[in-house]
Every structure is written in C-alpha cells, then in structure tokens.
Amino acid sequence: MCGIVGIVAHRPVNQAIYDALTVLQHRGQDAAGISTDDNGTLCSRKALGLVRDVFQERHMLRLQGNVGIGHTRYPTAGCSSSSESQPFYVNSPYGICLAHNGNLTNAVELKELLVNHDHRHLNTGSDTEALLNVFADELQRQNGRSLTPKAVFAAVAGVHRRCRGGYAVVAMIIGHGIVAFRDPDGIRPVCLGRRDTPQGPEWIVASESVALDALDFELVRDILPGEAVFIERNGRLHSHPCGGPRSYTPCIFEFVYFSRPDSIIDRISVYKARLRMGERLAEKILRERPDHDIDVVIPIPDSSRTSALEVAHRLGVKYREGFIKNRYIGRTFIMPGQEIRRQSVRRKLNAIDLEFRDKTVLLVDDSIVRGTTSRQIIEMAREAGARRVYFASASPPVRYPNVYGIDMPAAGELVAAGRSDAEVAQYVGADWLVYQDLDDLVRAVRYDNGDITQFDTSCFSGEYVTGDITPEYLARLEAERCDDARAHRDHAAAVADDEMGDGDTVAVRPRVGAV
C-alpha cells in the first residue's frame, strides 16, 4: 500500500506535494519521492525514510515547477532500497515520471515481454517500473501523433489490456501535464479535487480525500474504475473511460485499516463505516454472550478507536483509553519483517495499569493479521492486572493472501490460516475471541454508496475479483515475499545502497516532443 499525489497549479507545487505526502504518510513509511516539471526540466528527489526526513530545505528549493507528483512507499514487491523509491522515470517518449499504488498480478510476464519483445531495460524488481514502461511503450505506439488527450487515453487503454491486478497511477509527462488512472475493477483508490484561483482552476489527484482537505481543494469525485484523467499544464482537464469498468469492487481493507477515518473513499465515509463495524460487532457479541461480564472496552490505537467506541456504547459498558501510543513509532502492520514488528510493539504502546487492574477487559482491534501484535498486547493487558482479557476484531479472520498491494502475501504468516477461532484465541492468549462476520462487514461499509454492491474481500474470502489468481501464483508469491525472502533481498539492497550512496536532488532535461 502506498500514497500517491499529483498537482497541476499556477504556482510552485513543491510545498503542496510535501504537505499532501505528510498527510498520506500512514500509507507507507519505507520511502518517499517528489518529481516536478520546471518548464521542461525534470526535478526529482527520492530516498528511503519518512517524508520529513527525505526532504530537507535544500531539496525543496530545487523542486521547482507548477506541475508535480509525489509518492510515499510501503513495499510489497521488490525490496527496501533507494533504487526502488518512486516516482520512476523514463526519458522516451517525452519524458515520463510515474508513481503507483497497488500490485500487478502479471508483473513477471510483463517484465519478460518488455525485455524480450519491446527491448526495454528494467533496472529494478519493482512492478511500478514495469507499469511505467508499458505506459511509455503504449504512448510511443500512437503512430507519431502529437500528445493529444486522445493519444493519452489510447495509451492508458493499452495499459489496461496488458496489466492485471489492482493499481492507482499518477504519471507526469514532462512539458504536457499529469495523467491519473485506476484499474478496471476499482480496487485501489484515487480521487480528484479542484481549487479555484484568479488564474484559473488548480487540480489534484490523491489516494485519499484527506490530502485534498489539507490543501483546501474541494473533492470533485473519485476516478472511476478503468477511467483516466489527463490534466494539461494550463489546467484544462479531460477524462475518458479507457478500460471497462469490469466491476466496481474497492478493497474493503482500506476501510478496515489503511485509510484515515477522515477520508471519503468511493463516496463512503471511512469514519461512518467504522462506526457501523462497531455496531455490528457489538450485536454479535450480544448474540454470543448476552450475559457478558465485560467491565471496560479498550481500543488498540489508532484505527480501531471508532469501532471500539460504538461497541462500548452498544454494550452499555465503559470506554477507556488503556494504551498510550508513542507517536514516533511507525504503523506496526506495515513494518518490514516479523522481528522488527515484534520489537516495535512494546516501544509503541504502554498500558495504563489502573484501567486494567482486576477488570474483565474487551480489547478491540481493526483486524488480526499475523497475530504478533495481538499476542503482545494481550500480554501487556495481563501484566497491567486484567482479570480476564477478551479480544474482538472489527473484521473477519484474515486467512488468505492479499495480492493487490497489501502485505499479506504468505498464508503461512497469517495466524488465522488453517486455525479455528478457538485456536487463534489460544495462540494470541485471549480468554475469548470474537471476529466480525464478513456479511456484516460488507453491509457496514456499503451503507453509504448504493453504486457499490461488492468489495474485494479476498484476504477474508479467498475470492479474487480479477479472476487470474491460481494456486501456483500464490505459491510463487509466498516464496518471493515471505519475511525470510524479503530480509535476504533487503540485505543485498542495503549493501548496494551503501556502495552507490544515497544521491541527491537531480534535474535533467528530457527530450520533449513526439517520437
């Protein structure tokens, strides 16, 4: 999962993109990058680290131009290396920078065709680089046309024909403007915003509407599945359906965990969806334990707070903040490597003993993925004096890999895979465990938008909306992306980064014009 942003304005966009990336930092903490177009000169800065660490004053001063894109990375493909930080760049045709959120399920086949048939050089293991080269190749195929909206949309249609999976993309074509598009199933989110100025309209595309709020843009709408938007440098906007839609099936885990509660995604309030998750979870608790002995409901901060508040209200028991979070530790779920995740939990959370002592506590979390965090938190609750510890998940058991851009690649690393609810409870050390039912989760999220009747629920149901996921694919994915394999790649990448150095902001003059 990553955060993307693109802005076309009548003033320098470097600070606005930086501010948008800080708001989208929750979507990825591995690396960050910004590329701008300074009247035909590409200016770029990207590196490993948080947004605030990657961009210093000297970098920002060199990121000139009124058009630009940005990215904050959470790696699911490739490795943690500065060479795989985004945006990526190719110089032909025109000069294109591209950033991407999601995962291509046919990346291996694409890379083979790009190298052997299209004679393109790929420098990394990132599927984003493959997607960029597909888009560049399709744009170059437009028979020498000048760069018209029709040519751009034909190229995006070619991308949709060749690429499979979940993806939201923002690309900057040097000297021309920004293109944004979304996979034909609408799995990964991206929205469009507008801000009116005396010089004319300014436009933004971003993963979540909260980035628009921070910059005083008005949310216009979500980019639809299969649709592309082309914003010219002068602020003229064009849109066209380029690939479907095949379906309208957003990833439901965006609403469970990844997105900020103050975001609106596909016309659905994340905050209200989480409130309804809490309502339905409380109803299940009352069905299964009408005479419950719960004294207090305590959320696991931060994303479960909204659901936990409603659970407490419906159960008629106290809601208390029993854990204090260290704001300077990243989101545990998206940290690379099981050992790093394990070590970070106790540094991230500290229990307030008086909220636990001699009480039957219901802990509420948004989900249980690997079980590492849940087990340590339950241990902390017992150490703080809890008499009994119950655990509630606002989402169903995560039993299947997610292949569309969320780091759930190996079934063997998922605590609920192959285990019953009682076995999971025993593993994490809970006296009782309750999961949200999948039907209830879907109804809770769908409530606001009648246009969406289904969601991608693959990590809960094992049903993959793109229809191309085989057991062989999942086995290969597990071998490539388990923690051990990733640790080996990250070590090799770290050695390479040490040898090559981190680099600095660069400015290059790409070839401009039709090929």
Side-chain angles (χ1 to χ4, degrees), residues 121-363:
H121 172 71
L122 300 180
N123 200 45
T124 72
S126 172
D127 58 345
T128 306
E129 188 184 19
L131 198 156
L132 167 61
N133 277 274
V134 170
F135 179 58
D137 183 65
E138 289 293 332
L139 202 57
Q140 196 160 342
R141 290 174 187 238
Q142 300 310 307
N143 299 322
R145 298 178 190 169
S146 59
L147 191 69
T148 63
K150 183 177 180 180
V152 170
F153 295 143
V156 174
V159 172
H160 289 323
R161 286 193 300 270
R162 296 168 65 177
C163 296
R164 298 195 302 270
Y167 50 90
V169 175
V170 59
M172 179 173 68
I173 305 176
I174 310 301
H176 296 276
I178 282 178
V179 183
F181 55 92
R182 189 178 185 185
D183 66 83
D185 295 294
I187 299 172
R188 298 269 69 89
V190 61
C191 62
L192 173 69
R194 172 176 173 147
R195 180 171 64 190
D196 290 318
T197 72
Q199 296 80 25
E202 297 180 334
W203 298 94
I204 183 173
V205 291
S207 295
E208 295 184 35
S209 65
V210 68
L212 283 57
D213 299 337
L215 300 175
D216 292 325
F217 281 85
E218 179 182 354
L219 175 63
V220 175
R221 61 181 179 85
D222 299 280
I223 295 177
L224 296 174
E227 184 186 23
V229 168
F230 177 40
I231 308 166
E232 297 185 67
R233 288 176 54 86
N234 60 12
R236 185 176 301 167
L237 181 139
H238 312 267
S239 64
H240 187 72
C242 299
R246 285 194 298 255
S247 65
Y248 203 158
T249 49
C251 174
I252 205 164
F253 213 74
E254 288 278 356
F255 301 91
V256 170
Y257 174 80
F258 268 103
S259 299
R260 276 182 40 156
D262 44 345
S263 285
I264 307 292
I265 294 180
D266 291 306
R267 295 174 48 219
I268 298 171
S269 163
V270 177
Y271 175 77
K272 288 186 177 180
R274 289 179 183 168
L275 279 178
R276 293 189 292 268
M277 290 178 208
E279 292 175 6
R280 295 187 178 275
L281 184 59
E283 291 168 2
K284 182 174 182 179
I285 292 170
L286 290 172
R287 288 195 306 269
E288 295 198 0
R289 296 208 167 187
D291 300 320
H292 68 80
D293 59 344
I294 299 168
D295 296 314
V296 62
V297 172
I298 294 177
I300 312 302
D302 282 312
S303 50
S304 65
R305 281 196 171 104
T306 308
S307 296
L309 186 63
E310 193 62 23
V311 168
H313 174 71
R314 294 282 171 145
L315 296 182
V317 301
K318 294 178 181 177
Y319 170 92
R320 290 290 186 267
E321 293 284 346
F323 293 103
I324 300 302
K325 183 177 181 181
N326 181 348
R327 300 287 173 185
Y328 301 98
I329 300 292
R331 300 184 87 179
T332 312
F333 171 72
I334 64 175
M335 286 181 174
Q338 183 80 327
E339 186 59 31
I340 296 176
R341 287 186 291 267
R342 184 182 297 112
Q343 293 173 358
S344 71
V345 173
R346 287 182 179 266
R347 296 200 300 267
K348 182 176 73 170
L349 297 176
N350 189 46
I352 302 176
D353 290 8
L354 62 87
E355 296 294 356
F356 292 89
R357 194 174 302 131
D358 298 323
K359 296 176 182 176
T360 297
V361 177
L362 176 66
L363 302 179

